């Protein structure tokens, strides 16, 4: 399977939930709770699942590589799900 084939199944940002959810948007729950004010990078806006404003290695700083990392994570997660049911030896 190629990355371009798998990319069509990758989810897009779920910013549509930002107005109604505590987990998305600028006022989302962050990694240090109330002590996170001013410590989150500007490129982490809360539009992706799991964005708690913590990126010490700067992996999400470049949008192109961040998209590739998200796609690779989905592929690896799907193989892990197959492995748990014994389909991968």
């Amino acid at each position: 399977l190629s990355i371009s084939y798998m990319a069509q199944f990758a989810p897009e940002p779920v910013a549509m939930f930002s107005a109604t959810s505590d987990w998305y948007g600028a006022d989302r729950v962050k990694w240090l709770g109330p002590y996170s004010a001013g410590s989150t990078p500007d490129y982490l806006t809360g539009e992706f699942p799991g964005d708690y404003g913590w990126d010490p290695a700067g992996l999400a700083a470049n949008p192109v590589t961040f998209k590739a990392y998200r796609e690779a994570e989905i592929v690896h997660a799907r193989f892990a799900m197959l492995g748990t049911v014994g389909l991968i030896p």
Side-chain angles (χ1 to χ4, degrees), residues 46-62:
E47 64 180 319
F48 295 104
D51 179 6
Y52 295 106
W54 186 68
D55 187 21
L59 297 174
N62 184 349

Side-chain angles (χ1 to χ4, degrees), residues 1-13 48-49 59-60 62-81:
L1 296 175
S2 68
I3 294 294
S4 60
Y5 174 75
M6 294 303 293
Q8 65 183 342
F9 302 110
E12 292 298 318
F48 295 104
L59 297 174
N62 184 349
V64 175
T65 57
F66 183 52
K67 182 176 181 181
Y69 291 150
R70 285 186 294 135
E71 292 171 2
E73 182 178 359
I74 290 171
V75 170
H76 292 133
R78 290 180 180 164
F79 278 116
M81 287 185 273

Side-chain angles (χ1 to χ4, degrees), residues 1 18 30 45 53 57 80:
L1 296 175
S18 63
K30 297 188 178 116
T45 59

